[in-house]
Amino acid sequence: MTDSPQQRHAALAEEIRRHDRAYYVEAQPTISDRDYDKLYRELLDLEAAQPQLRTADSPSQRVGGAPIDGFETVRHAMPMMSLDNTYSQEEVRDFVVRVQKLLPGEPLEWLVEPKADGVAISLRFEDGLFTLGTTRGDGIAGDDVTANLRTIRTIPLRLNALGQADAPGVLEVRGEVIMTRSGFAQLNRERADAGEPLFANPRNATAGSLKQLDSALVARRPLDIVLYGSGEIIGGPAIDSQSGLLDALGQLGFRTPQHTWCCSGVDDVLDAIAELDRVRPGFDYDTDGAVIKLNRFDLRERVGATAKAPRWAMAFKYAPEQTQTKLNAITVQVGRTGTLTPVAELEPAFLDGSTISRATLHNEDEIARKDIRVGDTVLIEKRGDVIPGVISVLRELRPAGAEPFDMQGATGGRCPECGGEIRKDEAFVAWRCINLQCPAQAAQRLEHFAARAALDIECLGDIVSDKLVERQLARGPMDLFGLTVEQLGPLNLGTDDEPRMFGEKNATKLVESVARARGMGLDRWLFALAIPEMGRTIAGSLGKFHDDLPAVAASPLLRNVIALDEKVAETVRINPRSRKNRPNSDADKAKREQQYKNLVAEIREMLGGLVSLGFAKISKENGSHPPNYTTEVGPSVARSVLDWFASGIGHATLERLAKLGIDPRGDRPGGGVFDGKTFVITGTLPTMSRDEAKAKIEATGGKTTGTVSKKTDYLLAGEKAGSKLAKAKALEIPILDEATFLELCGGE
Ligand code: IVH
């Protein structure tokens, strides 16, 4: 007899859960990816045919649901406490002695566990089903992030013990959501490709992911979880120790710390802490310490807790791993926008699981502040971050004659890539190569132009970009619009000895996506052009406030942001109440106060304009002083954007775009049927007053002027229209009566 769909679904779900556990929790897959996909597909098909099979604990329910507006706050059934921290072995000794004093005569057993560096959460299971997942919050109440946590494969949606007679009715387990190092590296690579900001470390990436309101997005983040504690438990077999808890959690299907040490005295504990420090670089997630816990639960109860933390546990934090090595040289790298970044070339040193031979030095000021010189022995550190940094210099080891670094001297005032002029803008700490034809920038500009968050051009990664520049097929992004499949197909991406052709298929994809890019919106274009300081968010916001690229180039909004900033700086300079600025006579004082007042009034007026357009917000009213405010984009970005459009490359780009017939459009909200159209109203309209008509025109995106000219798009004409009507007729401008006008406005 064949199974019913219900039976088949249950069997499939069970089998998939088993494979999930083997793959995700035990890291020992028992089936090939293909066979797994087959089972999963069959499960999805069954659920598509019979939606009632799609229960909350089905393995299909990990892909995330609809976005939500915000998280609900939920009170924890039992508080989630934190731990007392220390960096000192002495304090670990004191802690052990203190607990022993509270439990005289008891032989104590300690469990030492890795302290996972992630985000603390609590998971609640009722009758074996995952019902609630919360963040720690303030320890008393946290955010309900159940939908996000469901997407984590190592959280069982139903417990292995389900159906067993002694399964707990309620089980709260606690642990840490983490991101594996490899998952983190991959995520950042993808973000770099998409031109999105990188996460500094796996913990930030984890916290950022859990805060997402769209769980479908979270499902794509490589999150994982490690469980090490419990909250409320009702029913189930009694658990009387930490080691017993970890065993039970493992049996129920949870991932628990893979290494723990059971210790009987403080020396044992300190040995375990040292050993954990040796092995943790090999873990697939970041740890920042060891947690020392009294093993037996009955003894824990006897020592109790303070208001914040239990007395029976303590966290020992490892100092971030550092090592010494020699700084052999400082080289200079050229970034996408021409920024010159000094890089420390180090004598290779082993640190936190990998060999480090380079570290970022950020910029010239940073080098001066730390007084870092070539030949120095430096202390380098890696805090789980991807790029290691130079912390300090061991001055006593400095060789005689070591010279301070200066960018001008190191580069001879020339870009290391193109030999072009470099310049340090007063407003920036960074030096920049100002040759916009610099090949380092040219290739990187092409690659950036093609990034997913920019114009999403397929088959145009770093290698192809480099080759296009090298073979002089493209010097800038605009050249892409002239490329053909015939030119690109035979492009050799390899060497003369080992040729590797780009191929017709890839070339076609590239050319097709270049063609698609023509129709993309203003925000993507603004981002794609690699304008200094133009990130995704800023491009998005400028795209909302402008109609097209020339409008950004001449943006009154950006000019006002700059003017406003200058005026505010001026108020600081002339403020008569400032101690530096004391007026020297009463007459002078009165004059200066008046000047100050006038300036504040000007600022208010200008700010009022920006606020009414939604481009600025007042964050604090300051009485007779300028109010505190924020603008959609700041003055430094505004300057950078306007400077770029005013530069040779900016002009050339706008010209080329116009010639190519490319005109990216903004998505100004409120745009309507008459977006950008100019009206003249004349005569008496049958039902509407002039003001009403004007308001309607503006509400649908248009504007009105008083005189008919070639630039007029429509004449709205009523009774007794005179010379304007005649002129419009002469210029062949469309003439609308009120009824037609209202009809065109439709429901708007
Ligand atoms: S036990 C009442 N064990 O460290 C004690 N915490 O600094 C609850 N953490 O909030 C914590 N790994 O987020 C414990 N093996 C581990 C841990 C661990 C990481 C985190 C946890 C806690 C914080 C305290």
Side-chain angles (χ1 to χ4, degrees):
M1 203 179 79
T2 50
D3 286 349
S4 70
Q6 281 79 354
Q7 286 167 326
R8 180 63 192 147
H9 183 270
L12 274 171
E14 196 45 52
E15 192 173 354
I16 291 172
R17 263 180 221 121
R18 238 188 19 247
H19 294 309
D20 275 348
R21 190 169 136 73
Y23 183 89
Y24 292 108
V25 181
E26 285 147 13
Q28 281 172 340
T30 42
I31 185 175
S32 75
D33 286 359
R34 250 186 87 177
D35 290 344
Y36 178 90
D37 288 345
K38 253 201 217 149
L39 294 175
Y40 194 71
R41 201 57 268 159
E42 190 184 343
L43 181 94
L44 291 186
D45 290 346
L46 273 174
E47 291 182 356
Q50 303 208 6
Q52 83 280 5
L53 296 175
R54 198 177 290 136
T55 51
D57 64 335
S58 163
S60 68
Q61 297 307 294
R62 296 207 188 256
V63 287
I68 53 172
D69 293 335
F71 299 112
E72 272 187 43
T73 309
V74 255
R75 210 182 150 86
H76 302 303
M78 280 168 70
M80 286 180 78
M81 289 206 271
S82 67
L83 292 176
D84 287 333
N85 273 330
T86 182
Y87 284 92
S88 130
Q89 300 200 357
E90 263 327 288
E91 285 188 14
V92 173
R93 277 187 190 281
D94 293 348
F95 159 69
V96 170
V97 170
R98 198 161 57 235
V99 176
Q100 186 70 76
K101 269 202 192 137
L102 291 169
L103 298 167
E106 289 284 355
L108 300 186
E109 215 173 50
W110 300 95
L111 212 72
V112 174
E113 296 172 359
K115 183 164 166 359
D117 194 10
V119 176
I121 48 85
S122 181
L123 310 175
R124 188 177 172 91
F125 291 81
E126 291 175 11
D127 296 326
L129 296 182
F130 176 43
T131 52
L132 178 68
T134 48
T135 59
R136 180 171 176 275
D138 61 3
I140 302 296
D143 285 341
D144 175 350
V145 287
T146 314
N148 288 348
L149 291 173
R150 270 185 181 285
T151 67
I152 300 178
R153 305 279 167 166
T154 35
I155 298 181
L157 298 179
R158 62 149 80 194
L159 299 176
N160 285 349
L162 186 73
Q164 287 175 23
D166 58 353
V170 170
L171 172 67
E172 271 186 12
V173 291
R174 287 170 177 181
E176 206 84 354
V177 178
I178 49 163
M179 192 175 281
T180 58
R181 291 171 173 168
S182 52
F184 167 72
Q186 168 75 17
L187 174 67
N188 258 356
R189 273 197 298 275
E190 287 169 12
R191 290 176 74 85
D193 277 352
E196 287 166 345
L198 303 188
F199 287 114
N201 54 47
R203 178 167 33 80
N204 287 4
T206 306
S209 303
L210 281 183
K211 278 197 208 123
Q212 290 288 340
L213 296 173
D214 182 355
S215 55
L217 219 141
V218 184
R220 299 205 292 271
R221 296 277 171 86
L223 296 177
D224 207 329
I225 195 168
V226 185
L227 281 312
Y228 48 67
S230 57
E232 187 175 40
I233 301 183
I234 303 176
I239 296 171
D240 57 12
S241 67
Q242 180 69 13
S243 44
L245 173 71
L246 294 181
D247 287 345
L249 290 177
Q251 272 157 25
L252 288 168
F254 294 104
R255 176 173 175 176
T256 54
Q258 75 232 60
H259 290 277
T260 56
W261 288 258
C262 201
C263 308
S264 51
V266 72
D267 290 327
D268 253 14
V269 167
L270 291 175
D271 279 351
I273 291 176
E275 187 170 313
L276 170 58
D277 198 19
R278 281 194 297 279
V279 296
R280 68 194 185 98
F283 289 7
D284 68 348
Y285 58 91
D286 282 354
T287 50
D288 61 349
V291 183
I292 307 126
K293 298 176 179 173
L294 194 55
N295 197 22
R296 265 170 56 187
F297 288 176
D298 59 333
L299 297 180
R300 286 185 181 183
E301 259 175 49
R302 280 173 54 192
V303 297
T306 65
K308 274 214 184 115
R311 287 202 189 85
W312 44 261
M314 176 163 239
F316 176 86
K317 301 248 272 185
Y318 298 112
E321 203 175 333
Q322 298 184 333
T323 192
Q324 291 178 17
T325 189
K326 210 175 132 222
L327 176 63
N328 289 332
I330 297 178
T331 54
V332 177
Q333 267 182 2
V334 190
R336 167 168 65 78
T337 55
T339 312
L340 305 190
T341 307
V343 176
E345 305 289 343
L346 304 164
E347 194 63 38
F350 196 69
L351 183 62
D352 202 12
S354 56
T355 303
I356 309 294
S357 51
R358 304 183 97 190
T360 174
L361 291 169
H362 303 287
N363 54 55
E364 195 181 25
D365 288 11
E366 173 93 355
I367 299 179
R369 202 168 53 75
K370 293 182 176 161
D371 189 19
I372 299 170
R373 305 185 185 190
V374 173
D376 271 342
T377 300
V378 291
L379 204 58
I380 58 171
E381 179 181 293
K382 201 174 160 198
R383 281 184 196 251
D385 293 10
V386 257
I387 310 165
V390 173
I391 299 307
S392 61
V393 165
L394 289 110
R395 291 289 289 276
E396 60 283 10
L397 299 180
R398 172 169 292 167
E403 294 280 341
F405 173 84
D406 80 292
M407 189 67 88
Q408 186 74 26
T411 56
R414 300 267 144 206
C415 166
E417 289 285 343
C418 70
E421 190 186 338
I422 61 170
R423 209 176 282 165
K424 189 174 179 176
D425 229 313
E426 263 180 56
F428 303 114
V429 278
W431 285 79
R432 199 165 268 168
C433 162
I434 57 163
N435 169 19
L436 289 154
Q437 302 309 323
C438 171
Q441 291 183 60
Q444 292 187 64
R445 274 211 323 271
L446 284 187
E447 196 188 335
H448 173 75
F449 192 75
R452 223 179 300 158
L455 295 175
D456 197 14
I457 295 169
E458 289 175 66
C459 301
L460 186 56
D462 51 350
I463 298 174
V464 180
S465 301
D466 277 350
K467 287 288 167 196
L468 288 179
V469 174
E470 193 187 302
R471 299 284 146 90
Q472 303 193 355
L473 283 168
R475 277 184 309 163
M478 295 305 131
D479 295 334
L480 294 173
F481 292 91
L483 294 177
T484 60
V485 176
E486 291 71 38
Q487 274 174 309
L488 290 170
L491 185 69
N492 179 7
L493 302 180
T495 57
D496 289 344
D497 293 338
E498 269 184 72
R500 190 161 68 83
M501 294 305 155
F502 187 45
E504 196 173 315
K505 216 165 116 195
N506 288 331
T508 310
K509 273 195 202 161
L510 195 155
V511 170
E512 281 175 1
S513 43
V514 166
R516 253 198 317 276
R518 288 171 160 270
M520 292 207 174
L522 180 60
D523 55 337
R524 279 178 176 259
W525 272 89
L526 280 171
F527 179 59
L529 292 172
I531 299 167
E533 297 198 53
M534 177 77 74
R536 281 279 292 138
T537 317
I538 287 167
S541 122
L542 292 180
K544 276 204 200 82
F545 283 92
H546 299 85
D547 290 329
D548 51 20
L549 285 168
V552 180
S555 170
L557 291 172
L558 295 181
R559 284 187 199 175
N560 280 345
V561 166
I562 298 169
L564 201 51
D565 183 57
E566 283 164 359
K567 284 192 195 292
V568 171
E570 174 82 0
T571 59
V572 177
R573 223 167 42 74
I574 68 164
N575 185 355
R577 273 165 269 180
S578 138
R579 280 209 296 137
K580 269 197 269 162
N581 249 341
R582 276 226 178 101
N584 43 26
S585 68
D586 278 355
D588 186 29
K589 185 170 174 217
K591 193 177 121 208
R592 294 263 297 281
E593 288 207 328
Q594 191 54 47
Q595 265 183 345
Y596 186 80
K597 235 167 109 182
N598 294 346
L599 194 54
V600 171
E602 278 175 44
I603 289 173
R604 278 184 197 287
E605 191 180 332
M606 198 171 241
L607 190 56
L610 288 175
V611 169
S612 70
L613 292 169
F615 205 72
K617 271 200 197 90
I618 292 180
S619 51
K620 190 171 155 228
E621 191 39 76
N622 265 334
S624 57
H625 299 288
N628 289 7
Y629 65 89
T630 54
T631 43
E632 277 283 309
V633 306
S636 150
V637 179
R639 281 190 191 94
S640 175
V641 173
L642 293 183
D643 283 355
W644 187 86
F645 278 105
S647 72
I649 185 135
H651 279 297
T653 305
L654 287 190
E655 258 173 46
R656 293 256 331 244
L657 285 172
K659 272 199 197 127
L660 288 162
I662 298 173
D663 181 20
R665 308 301 298 178
D667 55 351
R668 262 212 297 178
V673 278
F674 293 123
D675 219 348
K677 301 290 184 218
T678 304
F679 276 75
V680 174
I681 310 173
T682 186
T684 316
L685 301 171
T687 71
M688 297 174 96
S689 73
R690 281 213 178 195
D691 281 345
E692 280 167 351
K694 187 165 179 247
K696 188 95 191 154
I697 289 166
E698 281 168 3
T700 48
K703 61 174 191 228
T704 54
T705 62
T707 40
V708 176
S709 76
K710 274 196 292 193
K711 288 192 184 147
T712 309
D713 293 296
Y714 295 103
L715 184 79
L716 178 56
E719 290 274 297
K720 297 203 199 100
S723 63
K724 286 183 185 163
L725 181 61
K727 188 161 182 202
K729 279 186 180 157
L731 291 170
E732 293 183 350
I733 289 164
I735 295 157
L736 306 178
D737 60 13
E738 190 197 62
T740 317
F741 168 69
L742 287 174
E743 199 178 311
L744 287 174
C745 288
E748 287 194 62

